[in-house]
Amino acid sequence: MWWQGSVSHRASVIQDTMGKIIFYEDRNFGGRSYECSSDCADLHSYFSRCNSIRVESGCWMVYERPNYMGYQYFLRRGEYPDYQRWMGFNDSIRSCRMIPHHRGSYRMRIYEREGFGGQMMEFMDDCESVYDRFRYHDIHSCNVMDGYWLFYEQPNYRGRQYFMRPGEYRRFSDWGGMSPRIGSFRRITDFC
């Protein structure tokens, strides 16, 4: 008996480390739906529009265009009965990416100029106002050494979002930015 309980618990732990997101064509979880449990660069063939989303497990970034382009939206576990609930501008979701769990430290360097030039500052925690801490409104390049982060266009974690994975971003367009303006950023921790 005890062993069966352990297997059930183990299956539940495995399920929690995997993500599951369901896209619906209509508001309030109506119409055709598509269930996804991994990254998908092009969702167009599965549904024509997306008006509601249910995140059953994991944290996700969903993108307005294929190949992880266009507006990006961070979604944690929960229900989003219409696209305004995830701050969407329209019913277009064309790609999605599951955010892996990260255990350990967080470390990122931001730079005043492209190609890692100019003033540099290293961060290991959230920053609600880039200007207050860095004295610049713009971040032109970035090196994410540890962890997953979210950039926000405005201070206090508001505005357009950008998902930052470990790697080098030599210019703001590398993270999908329309401009170098970043007002705040935070670590993606287990707040999902």
Side-chain angles (χ1 to χ4, degrees):
M1 285 293 222
W2 178 83
W3 186 76
Q4 288 177 336
S6 294
V7 170
S8 171
H9 173 71
R10 206 170 38 216
S12 137
V13 169
I14 290 169
Q15 181 64 27
D16 287 345
T17 60
M18 296 172 47
K20 183 175 173 186
I21 187 169
I22 306 168
F23 301 95
Y24 297 86
E25 285 195 330
D26 297 334
R27 291 174 186 220
N28 298 312
F29 318 107
R32 287 185 356 177
S33 66
Y34 176 71
E35 185 177 303
C36 191
S37 59
S38 63
D39 295 0
C40 186
D42 192 354
L43 293 164
H44 185 260
S45 61
Y46 303 113
F47 50 85
S48 59
R49 65 187 182 278
C50 180
N51 279 293
S52 54
I53 296 175
R54 182 175 283 132
V55 178
E56 295 200 352
S57 58
C59 292
W60 295 81
M61 288 305 290
V62 296
Y63 299 80
E64 176 189 39
R65 298 190 351 227
N67 299 312
Y68 318 110
M69 306 279 289
Y71 283 102
Q72 305 177 27
Y73 308 103
F74 172 75
L75 301 178
R76 64 180 68 156
R77 189 176 185 171
E79 294 188 341
Y80 303 84
D82 59 61
Y83 63 80
Q84 289 90 357
R85 296 289 175 97
W86 66 79
M87 303 302 166
F89 292 105
N90 55 45
D91 64 1
S92 179
I93 296 295
R94 293 292 179 251
S95 53
C96 67
R97 177 172 275 149
M98 190 178 85
I99 301 171
H101 288 287
H102 175 75
R103 305 254 188 259
S105 64
Y106 288 78
R107 197 160 57 113
M108 173 177 63
R109 291 181 180 156
I110 61 173
Y111 297 84
E112 170 194 12
R113 296 196 191 114
E114 283 187 7
F116 314 115
Q119 182 93 298
M120 181 277 291
M121 192 166 189
E122 186 170 301
F123 288 86
M124 292 181 276
D125 57 355
D126 301 349
C127 177
E128 66 182 352
S129 173
V130 169
Y131 184 77
D132 288 350
R133 300 261 308 269
F134 190 52
R135 293 295 170 221
Y136 293 96
H137 287 288
D138 297 342
I139 297 174
H140 283 271
S141 54
C142 174
N143 183 3
V144 177
M145 280 117 24
D146 294 307
Y148 299 93
W149 300 72
L150 277 178
F151 275 0
Y152 294 84
E153 211 169 36
Q154 300 170 21
N156 302 311
Y157 317 117
R158 294 179 298 118
R160 195 166 179 170
Q161 306 167 12
Y162 304 100
F163 176 48
M164 307 296 288
R165 301 186 300 172
E168 293 184 345
Y169 302 84
R170 300 189 70 76
R171 62 195 58 79
F172 63 84
S173 59
D174 290 350
W175 63 73
M178 303 299 283
S179 80
R181 181 60 46 106
I182 298 296
S184 55
F185 53 81
R186 68 170 23 148
R187 298 161 296 156
I188 300 176
T189 60
D190 290 335
F191 62 75
C192 301

